[in-house]
Amino acid sequence: CSVQRSCAFSAMFARLASFPLSLPRSHGKSFAHRSELKQAKRIVVKLGSAVVTRGDECGLALGRLASIVEQVAVLQNQGREMMIVTSGAVAFGKQRLRHEILLSQSVRQALHSGQNQLKDMSVPVLEARACAAAGQSGLMALYEAMFTQYSICTAQILVTNLDFHDEQKRRNLNSTLHELLRMNIVPIINTNDAVVPPPVPNSDLQGVNVISIKDNDSLAARLAVEMKVDLLIALSDVQGLYDSPPGTDDAKLIDIFYPGDQQSITFGTKSRVGIGGMEAKVKAALWALQGGTSVIIANGTDPKVTGHVITDIVEGKKVGTFFSEVKPAGPTVEQQTDMARHAGRTLASLLPEQRGEIICCLAELLTEKKEEILNANKKDMELAATLGRLSQPLINRLSLSTAKLNSLAIGLRQLAVSSRNSVARVLRRTRVANNLELEQITVPIGVLLVIFESRPDCLPQVSALAIASGNALLLKGGKEASNTNKILHQLTQEALSIHGVADAIQLVSTREEVEDLCRLDKMIDLIIPRGSSQLVRGIQKAAKGIPVLGHSEGICHVYIDSDASIDKAIDITVVINFGKHSKCDYPAACNAMETLLIHRDLLRTPMFDQIIDMLRTEEVKIHAGPRFASYLTFSPSEVKSLRTEYGDLECCIEVVDSMQDAVDHIHKYGSSHTDVIVTENEETAEQFLQQVDSACVFWNASSRFADGYRFGLGAEVGISTARIHARGPVGLEGLLTTKWVLRGEGHAVADFSEQGSMKYLHENIPVPQGSFN
């Protein structure tokens, strides 16, 4: 008892030190969505044999096991009640018995041999029950040692069928487990494989109260229902449940599995060491689900995810197969992506004129249905104001107006016209040899995923570009614009329907997290984020297998040279960026000036004073750079960082000694978005334009010109600061890639060898004008 009290105290202290979560949860129905798994208080983690044992099936995978123990300890110290159902006793016992047998044989042979040479020794086949008996104590000692590192105590419980089917034994087991959980002790549960009898015939999975404990899958399911567990995590050696055996060509991982879907599954063989197999896991999972416990089957052996698979599941991330009783009305995001890709290929095969018709139709619908669009936007604006969660810049981006819709429609018509001559072009033609011609042509990228915050006007812009370029499109907007996005997507699909390709553009309306979408590397070809720097950085970090096109920040500089015109300097720095009477007034835009660099010679001149006075008049908050602050007796607050995107009526002012000094500052603190020089000196301007390595570099023009519509692209999917094929405002051209087409007449590479009869010519052929299909 004293040991139990000491263990309980240690575990309680660790939990208090880690600020335990408040997890109110009344057991009844299982969770309907992954996002709700964060509420799970009582959790069973089932470790399959393939997870616990090494590849040689003799001994335990210690590193993997230590990682799992750490995750369970983290959740336990958060205030959750954790239980482990483990395999591994047989493998551990097999390792121990083999060692003992080999040691015994070597001693005997050494005693009976005249020479000190040992003959080849063979190990007899070991009986599983004997291995379990020999390995169980060692397995438990290992768990105890590992959990002790986290100030958590464990307790071993071995069960058989009788412990569940005999009412008194069942009550005793239930009472013991509840008492252990009450004392913050983690129960380690296993079937007593040393004495376990075979399962009772014809009693398996026949209702909530009857399930044969014939393997650890059924044990975990029975235990979960018995203890009213919120979540059962079953770790195996596969990613989850597939619609056909994993490894087959067409096998697809099932994200969410519903009761009644068993007929659509083709089960394969069992695990290399387990005795249940996936079919047994599914039956056990459905049985637990029927009893009110949510279930996830996931991979516990993949070194890329083992260290966080359990915590990821509890955080609601898309890991493994989630068993749910609530089937959504619409398709899953995987199904939406398949639908988009299939329809996108049809879209790509349309004539440019037909794609132009779709875009023009969308432009007309934006005008005809503007009242419906604005009413939906009004709902979003009112909800945002009520919740008070959005900053003013995001509120500004959320708002739509008649003027914005009219500008959108104009831009789309412009895009429809220009796209007819810019899609599916031949970039080069080469005669490789006689009767062997090579072409490089532009083609759609495939499936695009565009994730955007607040700005619903992004949806028709990006949709039009996807249509023009022949790409399938998956759209993920923020909750704050859900009503507006819904109506705009409906209008987009209405326009697509005129040529039967409505499914080519899909709006993700399920509870998919951005990080989960970024894991669809086998389905999505390019991700384009449109939103805050935090969103973009998060996507760039999460999308390890998918290219990301975009910029994380818009730290735009305006450098006022010593030879600058005072009128141009004021117009570009103040009126365009901050002037309340300017039609371009939009300081929240990514192309707005954030840092003003001033040549040292301009300090205390009428030009400098006038710029400062204008900024103050427009109520712009000024932050002083270190050098600027050193020149002033009473200065504005010194800037915390010269790499700041304010996105509001704020800017930083810093002093530089020369144009070269300005270039160096921009390279050090800028984000390669858009940078400007204001000067009347043409030579200085040209040096600046050549030296600054940004996506957009301007002379005597506002940084606000960095925009697809203003560049004549019709629309843009965003501004890219990456050094890839598309940089700056990305329009239609940036959504195309290339492929090579070779036309021959039975040519073989061997014909062009030294002994061959043919020679390479590599003659350029004139490229035909216009587009083609």
Side-chain angles (χ1 to χ4, degrees):
C1 292
S2 62
V3 173
Q4 287 182 337
R5 283 195 297 271
S6 175
C7 292
F9 176 80
S10 298
M12 181 175 67
F13 177 80
R15 291 174 64 184
L16 289 173
S18 63
F19 300 98
L21 302 175
S22 176
L23 298 165
R25 164 78 171 149
S26 57
H27 188 83
K29 289 188 176 181
S30 60
F31 294 116
H33 306 283
R34 285 183 185 266
S35 59
E36 297 172 352
L37 296 179
K38 296 175 184 179
Q39 304 172 33
K41 180 173 177 62
R42 185 170 292 175
I43 302 171
V44 168
V45 177
K46 180 263 174 182
L47 306 179
S49 300
V51 176
V52 178
T53 61
R54 298 197 312 245
D56 61 4
E57 302 177 22
C58 293
L60 305 180
L62 297 179
R64 190 186 301 152
L65 202 57
S67 176
I68 290 170
V69 166
E70 181 179 14
Q71 294 172 76
V72 172
V74 167
L75 296 174
Q76 177 81 1
N77 286 330
Q78 286 178 354
R80 305 179 200 268
E81 298 174 344
M82 305 298 297
M83 292 180 276
I84 293 179
V85 173
T86 183
S87 302
V90 174
F92 198 16
K94 186 183 293 186
Q95 181 188 37
R96 291 184 62 185
L97 291 181
R98 280 187 173 183
H99 178 76
E100 292 296 329
I101 291 171
L102 289 173
L103 181 62
S104 175
Q105 287 181 346
S106 66
V107 171
R108 286 198 303 270
Q109 289 189 11
L111 290 174
H112 290 86
S113 174
Q115 301 175 350
N116 194 23
Q117 295 179 348
L118 302 180
K119 299 178 182 179
D120 293 337
M121 295 177 292
S122 60
V123 179
V125 176
L126 300 174
E127 206 273 329
R129 286 178 178 160
C131 291
Q136 191 63 53
S137 60
L139 178 64
M140 189 59 208
L142 183 62
Y143 274 118
E144 188 171 353
M146 287 182 172
F147 274 106
T148 298
Q149 304 303 312
Y150 304 96
S151 300
I152 293 176
C153 286
T154 58
Q156 181 184 38
I157 296 180
L158 298 177
V159 297
T160 65
N161 254 325
L162 194 60
D163 295 305
F164 289 99
H165 291 287
D166 182 275
E167 188 61 27
Q168 184 59 49
K169 290 180 179 292
R170 188 180 67 82
R171 284 199 297 266
N172 291 343
L173 174 62
N174 190 295
S175 176
T176 300
L177 288 169
H178 276 94
E179 182 64 12
L180 291 172
L181 295 177
R182 188 186 66 82
M183 293 190 296
N184 303 319
I185 296 173
V186 175
I188 309 292
I189 305 148
N190 196 0
T191 52
N192 192 350
D193 293 326
V195 298
V196 64
V200 179
N202 303 319
S203 66
D204 192 26
L205 302 171
Q206 297 185 9
V208 174
N209 295 319
V210 180
I211 182 172
S212 295
I213 309 304
K214 61 181 183 179
D215 53 46
N216 277 343
D217 294 310
S218 53
L219 168 59
R222 179 61 197 256
L223 181 72
V225 174
E226 184 73 25
M227 293 296 295
K228 295 182 171 57
V229 165
D230 301 318
L231 173 62
L232 166 58
I233 300 174
L235 297 183
S236 182
D237 58 352
V238 292
Q239 302 297 329
L241 177 60
Y242 288 79
D243 57 1
S244 56
T248 56
D249 292 338
D250 298 325
K252 292 182 180 179
L253 180 66
I254 298 173
D255 173 35
I256 306 177
F257 189 76
Y258 308 97
D261 284 354
Q262 296 96 310
Q263 294 79 8
S264 63
I265 304 298
T266 302
F267 294 103
T269 58
K270 297 178 181 179
S271 164
R272 60 178 173 83
V273 287
I275 62 173
M278 185 55 72
E279 187 170 9
K281 289 177 175 58
V282 171
K283 288 182 178 179
L286 291 174
W287 190 88
L289 187 68
Q290 180 187 358
T293 295
S294 294
V295 183
I296 284 186
I297 296 177
N299 193 331
T301 63
D302 186 347
K304 295 180 180 179
V305 300
T306 302
H308 47 82
V309 59
I310 298 172
T311 50
D312 279 356
I313 288 171
V314 177
E315 287 175 10
K317 295 180 181 179
K318 184 177 284 190
V319 179
T321 300
F322 175 54
F323 286 72
S324 174
E325 290 188 304
V326 180
K327 197 163 188 173
T332 65
V333 68
E334 289 83 2
Q335 291 170 331
Q336 283 186 289
T337 308
D338 276 341
M339 292 161 60
R341 185 180 292 278
H342 181 75
R345 287 171 177 154
T346 305
L347 172 67
S349 69
L350 295 177
L351 294 172
E353 292 78 10
Q354 292 174 307
R355 290 197 289 269
E357 288 173 7
I358 295 173
I359 298 171
C360 286
C361 178
L362 177 56
E364 294 297 327
L365 289 170
L366 291 177
T367 304
E368 293 174 9
K369 306 288 186 179
K370 68 178 180 181
E371 293 302 324
E372 295 179 36
I373 298 170
L374 294 176
N375 286 337
N377 186 245
K378 183 180 178 182
K379 291 180 183 178
D380 289 329
M381 293 288 290
E382 290 173 348
L383 185 59
T386 302
L387 296 176
R389 295 176 183 171
L390 297 183
S391 63
Q392 191 57 47
L394 287 179
I395 291 288
N396 295 339
R397 293 175 182 176
L398 176 60
S399 175
L400 286 183
S401 64
T402 300
K404 272 190 178 181
L405 291 176
N406 289 339
S407 295
L408 269 174
I410 293 170
L412 295 192
R413 293 188 185 97
Q414 179 182 344
L415 177 63
V417 173
S418 63
S419 67
R420 291 168 184 167
N421 297 318
S422 58
V423 182
R425 291 183 295 129
V426 178
L427 299 179
R428 73 178 69 181
R429 296 181 68 201
T430 304
R431 181 173 288 110
V432 179
N434 289 331
N435 301 321
L436 185 63
E437 292 187 2
L438 176 69
E439 287 183 343
Q440 184 186 27
I441 63 174
T442 57
V443 293
I445 289 174
V447 178
L448 312 177
L449 168 61
V450 176
I451 302 170
F452 57 101
E453 291 177 324
S454 289
R455 293 185 55 177
D457 54 326
C458 172
L459 194 152
Q461 282 185 352
V462 173
S463 296
L465 284 167
I467 294 166
S469 58
N471 284 290
L473 177 62
L474 214 60
L475 292 158
K476 172 65 174 174
K479 297 177 184 177
E480 67 280 353
S482 58
N483 292 298
T484 316
N485 289 338
K486 184 177 180 181
I487 181 66
L488 290 173
H489 178 246
Q490 289 173 353
L491 298 179
T492 303
Q493 288 200 308
E494 184 177 338
L496 287 163
S497 296
I498 67 175
H499 286 295
V501 286
D503 288 340
I505 296 179
Q506 299 283 331
L507 180 64
V508 179
S509 55
T510 57
R511 299 191 179 199
E512 235 65 35
E513 297 292 336
V514 168
E515 188 172 338
D516 293 331
L517 292 171
C518 291
R519 293 176 179 173
L520 300 177
D521 57 304
K522 291 182 175 62
M523 309 181 77
I524 294 170
D525 300 298
L526 178 67
I527 300 177
I528 305 173
R530 296 283 302 268
S532 66
S533 58
Q534 183 180 0
L535 170 74
V536 178
R537 280 195 296 266
I539 290 172
Q540 290 172 334
K541 183 179 179 181
K544 296 178 181 177
I546 310 175
V548 178
L549 187 151
H551 68 280
S552 59
E553 293 172 311
I555 305 176
C556 303
H557 294 76
V558 173
Y559 163 57
I560 301 181
D561 187 53
S562 56
D563 295 324
S565 158
I566 186 170
D567 292 334
K568 292 176 183 176
I570 291 173
D571 283 345
I572 291 170
T573 59
V574 184
V575 178
I576 299 298
N577 282 285
F578 303 112
K580 293 178 181 175
H581 305 294
S582 170
K583 292 181 181 178
C584 299
D585 175 29
Y586 193 16
C590 64
N591 56 15
M593 181 193 76
E594 302 293 354
T595 298
L596 175 62
L597 300 176
I598 298 180
H599 194 285
R600 181 184 57 187
D601 294 347
L602 296 178
L603 288 176
R604 300 185 180 91
T605 64
M607 177 187 290
F608 174 77
D609 294 339
Q610 194 167 347
I611 290 173
I612 296 298
D613 290 342
M614 287 284 290
L615 288 171
R616 286 173 176 166
T617 300
E618 299 299 337
E619 300 179 355
V620 177
K621 184 177 180 180
I622 298 174
H623 302 274
R627 291 197 63 191
F628 180 45
S630 69
Y631 284 97
L632 304 174
T633 305
F634 300 99
S635 67
S637 60
E638 188 169 336
V639 68
K640 295 180 180 179
S641 172
L642 290 167
R643 292 191 181 94
T644 302
E645 181 180 20
Y646 299 100
D648 207 343
L649 290 173
E650 298 181 62
C651 74
C652 170
I653 297 180
E654 182 59 308
V655 174
V656 293
D657 292 333
S658 63
M659 181 276 294
Q660 188 60 53
D661 195 14
V663 171
D664 293 341
H665 179 102
I666 290 169
H667 287 163
K668 185 174 183 179
Y669 299 109
S671 61
S672 301
H673 191 294
T674 303
D675 298 291
V676 176
I677 183 172
V678 182
T679 185
E680 297 302 301
N681 188 315
E682 183 176 353
E683 182 180 351
T684 300
E686 289 300 330
Q687 290 179 9
F688 183 91
L689 296 176
Q690 293 300 319
Q691 292 184 36
V692 172
D693 183 19
S694 294
C696 301
V697 190
F698 301 160
W699 172 23
N700 286 346
S702 166
S703 60
R704 296 280 286 113
F705 276 106
D707 177 83
Y709 173 73
R710 293 168 189 147
F711 278 8
L713 304 180
E716 67 175 40
V717 293
I719 293 181
S720 171
T721 56
R723 289 163 179 81
I724 55 175
H725 75 291
R727 202 173 182 206
V730 179
L732 178 59
E733 298 289 340
L735 299 182
L736 297 171
T737 185
T738 63
K739 74 176 178 182
W740 298 87
V741 178
L742 190 66
R743 295 181 176 91
E745 294 181 358
H747 293 80
V749 172
D751 296 335
F752 295 87
S753 64
E754 291 184 7
Q755 294 77 27
S757 59
M758 303 189 73
K759 300 295 181 183
Y760 289 109
L761 298 177
H762 294 139
E763 296 177 349
N764 291 331
I765 305 173
V767 174
Q769 299 298 313
S771 59
F772 73 97
N773 273 75

